[in-house]
């Protein structure tokens, strides 16, 4: 982790290139992961990472040291991804449907899946579902906030989240069944 | 045990966290660094231009201050006294020869430029002859009141040969005293002025027409004269400040007239705000009741004195219990409490100038018209400390005509370069909106600061 973060942020606010590099090196891996979590294509994630850091360094004088810098940077990165995907019209959300009632027959056990499995499924998750699930489950947004951020209705937000969970559950079940068959 | 939804969310979040440790390709930093360097360069250039304007302003104000001080009555008297009282006192106290020499020295210093040449040519005896000759010459001046006589007579070699001791004794002291008294009055009338920075005597120009090029930057305050025939929301609107500037070419014409054109960048606009506490939405197109399913809802629009802004991608509909109808929910971005509208123009002016004072600094009045070509039209809002583009103002005329009047002050730094400061008032002659209901005529007050290079 970067030492003397505040001093480096202040140096960035004064436009020091060396400090910008240090900040980038400290936070780029995590932010890149976030971008990868939202974007299906690696190239899109790289574009968003680049755009997000440029935006952050350009607006860094607005950071008032009130909260966590990582949180501030993360929010900029997520907003950049949303804006990018919206501009490119990569994500089109499903129209609103009555929220689905998901009936889980059973709870997944921790040893029935691996993190790699989930990560792979995340990449396969359709963007329209992934966006809402990310904002809800990872970023902790409420449906109201999601609908504002994505300019969708509350119903669309709930509907997409419900379908995302359903999609994920179905794929995880299939994987577990495949694994069990392979063992047998 | 966790809720089933929470369980799958937790699994997902953990997997997401594991992804947050990827190494981005190295070229990304190179691209970021290149972009930031470019922005730094632009900022530096902007800083330089602003500094030039600031220095120009300081120089102008300082020179104006010094100029004013040097013209004050006290100083004027002091200068005149220093030049005249000393010889008078000396006259009373000492002999005529001394008086004449003191006075002649003064006359020589102030009127005869090539004294050194003459001194070099004459022997010591001749130098004393020279002084006496000049005294004689000066006496001639009293009668003719022509400075040229002084110079011409003093330089004529034949006058030197006429010098005798009798010439010295024949000097009329009364004439000297009268001359000095008259001179004092003349100097008071002439208002002798000292110029602290740089002063060149007016020289007849080789050509009647001279060309000058220049560059200037201008901070300006912009607002508008507006009226709107339709329904308008009660927004709190305010003017904006902006930076402009550009290059100009000036053709100095006959007498005191000159004409100027060029290419300038200018920006106009306004800011409108609503009270975030009231949470009143920006006005939208009129609609009430329910929409049939599948029918598009009207767009959300912001309407103010400059025109209409259709906010992009902000329309949502909210599900109702009915299968056939839905209620439109206008989901404007909730952070919008202000909208900044800006229009960027490239301006081609045609200005006429008339010099009302040709001293240092020269002062001129200017006026003319400009054709303004719209190059950018943007409406933005501030969202989470970021400036976010939401749309543009509709129905903006791509070309607008404006008029300008101003007062220019120019202070030469050397023979070629001058600093200039020009407060200008600009007013748009036609409404910038093509919408018949909207009349929006911006005006701005700016101070142009820059340099002029005489070619």
């Amino acid at each position: 982790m970067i030492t003397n973060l505040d001093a480096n942020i202040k140096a960035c606010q004064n436009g020091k290139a060396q400090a910008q590099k240090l900040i980038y090196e400290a936070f780029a891996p995590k932010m890149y992961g976030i971008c990868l979590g939202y974007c299906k294509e690696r190239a899109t994630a790289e574009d968003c990472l680049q755009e997000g850091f440029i935006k952050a360094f350009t607006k860094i004088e607005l950071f008032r040291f009130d909260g966590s810098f990582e949180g501030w940077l993360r929010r900029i990165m997520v907003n950049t991804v949303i804006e990018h995907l919206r501009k490119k019209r990569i994500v089109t959300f499903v129209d609103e449907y009555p929220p689905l009632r998901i009936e889980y027959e059973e709870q997944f056990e921790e040893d029935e899946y691996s993190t790699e499995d989930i990560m792979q499924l995340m990449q396969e998750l359709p963007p329209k579902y992934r966006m809402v699930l990310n904002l809800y489950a990872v970023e902790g947004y409420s449906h109201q906030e999601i609908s504002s951020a994505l300019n969708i209705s509350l119903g669309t937000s709930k509907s997409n989240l419900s379908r995302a969970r359903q999609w994920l559950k179905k794929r995880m079940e299939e994987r577990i069944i495949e694994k069990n068959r392979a063992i047998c | 045990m966790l809720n089933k939804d929470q369980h799958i969310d937790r699994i997902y979040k953990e997997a997401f966290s594991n992804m947050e440790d990827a190494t981005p390709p190295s070229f990304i930093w190179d691209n970021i660094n290149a972009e930031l360097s470019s922005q730094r360069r632009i900022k530096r250039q902007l800083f330089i231009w602003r500094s030039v304007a600031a220095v120009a302003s300081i120089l102008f104000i300082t020179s104006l201050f010094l100029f004013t001080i040097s013209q004050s009555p006290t100083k004027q008297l002091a200068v005149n006294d220093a030049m005249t009282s000393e010889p008078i006192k000396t006259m009373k106290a000492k002999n005529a020869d001394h008086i004449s020499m003191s006075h002649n020295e003064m006359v020589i210093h102030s009127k005869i430029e090539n004294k050194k040449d003459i001194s070099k040519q004459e022997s010591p005896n001749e130098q004393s002859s020279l002084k006496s000759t000049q005294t004689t010459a000066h006496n001639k001046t009293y009668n003719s009141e022509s400075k040229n006589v002084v110079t011409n007579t003093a330089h004529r070699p034949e006058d030197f040969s006429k010098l005798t001791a009798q010439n010295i004794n024949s000097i009329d002291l009364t004439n000297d005293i009268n001359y000095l008294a008259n001179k004092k009055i003349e100097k008071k009338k002439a208002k002798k002025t000292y110029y602290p920075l740089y002063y060149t005597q007016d020289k007849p120009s080789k050509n009647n027409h001279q060309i000058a090029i220049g560059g200037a930057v201008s901070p300006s305050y912009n607002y508008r004269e507006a009226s709107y025939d339709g329904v308008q929301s009660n927004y709190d609107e305010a003017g904006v400040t902006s930076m402009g500037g550009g290059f100009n070419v000036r053709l100095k014409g006959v007498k005191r007239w000159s004409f100027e054109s060029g290419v300038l960048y200018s920006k106009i606009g306004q800011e409108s705000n609503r009270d975030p506490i009231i949470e009143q939405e920006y006005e939208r197109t009129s609609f009430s009741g329910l929409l049939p399913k599948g029918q598009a809802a009207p767009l959300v629009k912001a309407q103010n004195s400059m025109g209409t802004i259709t906010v992009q991608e902000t329309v949502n509909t909210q599900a109702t219990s009915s299968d056939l109808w839905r209620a439109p929910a206008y989901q404007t971005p909730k952070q919008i409490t202000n909208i900044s509208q800006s229009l960027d123009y490239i301006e081609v002016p045609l200005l006429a100038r008339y010099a009302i004072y040709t001293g240092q600094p020269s002062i001129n009045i200017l006026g003319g018209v400009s054709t303004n070509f719209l190059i950018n039209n943007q409406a933005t809002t501030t969202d989470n400390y970021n400036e976010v583009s939401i749309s543009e103002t509709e129905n903006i005329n791509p070309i607008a005509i404006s008029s300008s009047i101003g007062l220019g002050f120019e202070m030469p730094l050397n023979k070629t370069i001058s600093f200039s400061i020009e407060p200008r008032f600009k007013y748009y002659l036609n409404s910038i909106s093509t919408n018949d209901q909207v009349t929006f005529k911006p005006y701005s007050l700016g101070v142009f600061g820059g340099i002029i290079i005489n070619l």
Side-chain angles (χ1 to χ4, degrees), chain B residues 57-285:
Chain B
S57 308
I58 291 165
L59 279 176
F60 169 71
I61 291 164
T62 310
S63 56
L64 196 66
F65 177 70
L66 292 172
F67 174 74
T68 312
I69 284 184
S70 69
Q71 279 218 339
S72 66
T74 313
K75 188 150 188 175
Q76 184 68 39
L77 283 173
V79 169
N80 288 335
D81 287 346
M83 294 183 74
T84 56
S85 62
E86 182 61 26
I88 291 170
K89 284 178 188 171
T90 314
M91 254 189 291
K92 289 177 181 174
K94 297 179 180 178
N95 61 45
D97 287 348
H98 192 98
I99 294 164
S100 302
M101 287 175 71
S102 300
H103 179 61
N104 281 333
E105 278 170 6
M106 182 187 74
V107 174
I108 288 165
H109 281 300
S110 59
K111 302 291 180 190
I112 302 173
E113 291 176 356
N114 55 356
K115 175 190 167 189
K116 285 182 183 174
D117 295 339
I118 294 168
S119 302
K120 282 175 189 172
Q121 289 168 9
E122 308 299 335
S123 64
N125 288 336
E126 286 170 334
Q127 281 184 23
S128 90
S129 301
L130 169 66
K131 288 174 182 174
S132 298
T133 308
Q134 284 161 357
T135 308
T136 309
H138 209 132
N139 286 336
K140 288 179 184 174
T141 311
Y142 304 157
N143 297 326
S144 66
E145 297 201 355
S146 164
K147 292 173 188 175
N148 290 335
V149 174
V150 176
T151 310
N152 293 338
T153 312
H155 289 186
R156 277 185 300 186
E158 59 266 29
D159 288 336
F160 300 154
S161 62
K162 293 178 184 172
L163 179 71
T164 61
Q166 287 80 3
N167 290 128
I168 299 170
N169 292 331
S170 68
I171 293 168
D172 186 351
L173 287 180
T174 314
N175 279 350
D176 260 358
I177 293 165
N178 286 339
Y179 168 77
L180 292 169
N182 288 337
K183 199 72 183 171
K184 188 175 178 180
I185 294 165
E186 281 172 16
K187 278 178 179 166
K188 273 186 180 175
K189 285 181 182 173
K191 291 185 180 176
K192 184 172 176 63
T193 305
Y194 289 91
Y195 298 114
L197 285 179
Y198 174 77
Y199 178 69
T200 53
Q201 287 186 328
D202 288 339
K203 293 175 185 172
S205 63
K206 290 174 187 171
N207 302 317
N208 282 335
H209 302 288
Q210 282 188 331
I211 296 174
I213 58 169
V217 289
S218 160
S220 61
Y221 174 75
N222 307 277
Y223 204 35
R224 83 288 186 274
E225 175 195 332
S227 64
Y228 182 64
D229 295 338
V231 178
Q232 186 186 347
S233 296
N234 186 22
Y235 293 111
D236 180 16
E237 294 180 350
V240 293
T241 54
S242 64
M243 285 295 290
F247 299 95
N248 57 59
V249 180
R250 189 184 299 178
L251 177 66
K252 292 182 178 174
V254 290
K255 294 186 178 174
R256 296 181 170 208
W257 286 97
S258 60
F259 300 94
E260 183 177 312
S261 186
V263 179
L264 299 169
Y265 164 80
S266 64
K267 188 174 193 172
I268 58 166
Q270 67 170 9
E271 286 182 350
S272 32
N273 294 282
R274 63 172 179 166
D275 190 343
I277 299 166
I278 298 171
E279 286 294 333
Q280 184 185 352
E281 289 175 347
Y282 277 97
E283 187 178 342
R284 55 187 183 244
T285 49

Side-chain angles (χ1 to χ4, degrees), chain A residues 15 17 20-21 24 28-30 32-34 36-38 46 49-50 53-54 57-59 62 74-75 79 86 89 96 104 107-108 110 113 115 118-119 122-123 125 130 133-134 136-138 144-145 148 151-154 165 168-169 172, chain B residues 1-16 18-29 31-33 35-36 39-40 43 293 312-320 326 331-335 384-388:
Chain A
Q20 287 172 341
K21 190 174 186 186
Y24 173 81
K30 196 154 197 169
Y32 186 45
I34 292 169
L36 284 171
Y38 280 85
E46 288 164 0
L49 181 72
Q50 183 177 315
F53 264 105
I54 289 170
F57 285 132
T58 310
K59 303 283 181 185
L62 298 172
R74 185 181 184 116
R75 195 172 176 85
N79 284 340
R86 205 161 52 187
R89 304 203 177 277
E96 56 206 58
Y104 296 107
Q107 193 94 309
F108 300 113
E110 299 285 334
Y113 59 88
T115 308
I118 305 290
M119 284 169 68
M122 278 172 66
Q123 295 300 320
L125 194 64
R130 179 164 26 169
L133 188 57
N134 280 348
Y136 187 90
V138 182
Q144 184 65 47
E145 286 171 322
S148 283
N151 286 326
I152 58 176
S153 69
L154 275 173
R165 285 174 178 150
L168 209 54
K169 172 190 162 284
M172 285 171 74
Chain B
M1 180 180 278
L2 289 169
N3 171 297
K4 289 171 184 174
D5 285 348
Q6 287 175 336
H7 177 68
I8 201 157
D9 288 353
R10 186 178 58 78
I11 294 170
Y12 186 81
K13 191 175 179 181
E14 281 172 5
F16 195 98
N18 285 326
M19 284 184 74
E20 292 179 4
D21 198 15
T23 307
S26 60
F27 70 84
I28 292 180
W29 168 248
N31 291 348
I32 293 169
N33 195 31
E35 175 66 26
L36 293 173
Q39 287 180 8
R40 271 195 293 268
K43 272 187 183 174
K293 284 264 183 183
Q312 291 170 343
E313 298 176 358
T314 54
V315 178
N316 303 300
T317 52
Q318 193 166 9
T320 63
R326 60 183 182 172
Q331 194 71 46
T332 50
K334 65 177 180 180
Q335 294 89 348
N384 194 25
Y385 302 111
N386 291 323
E387 197 174 334
V388 181

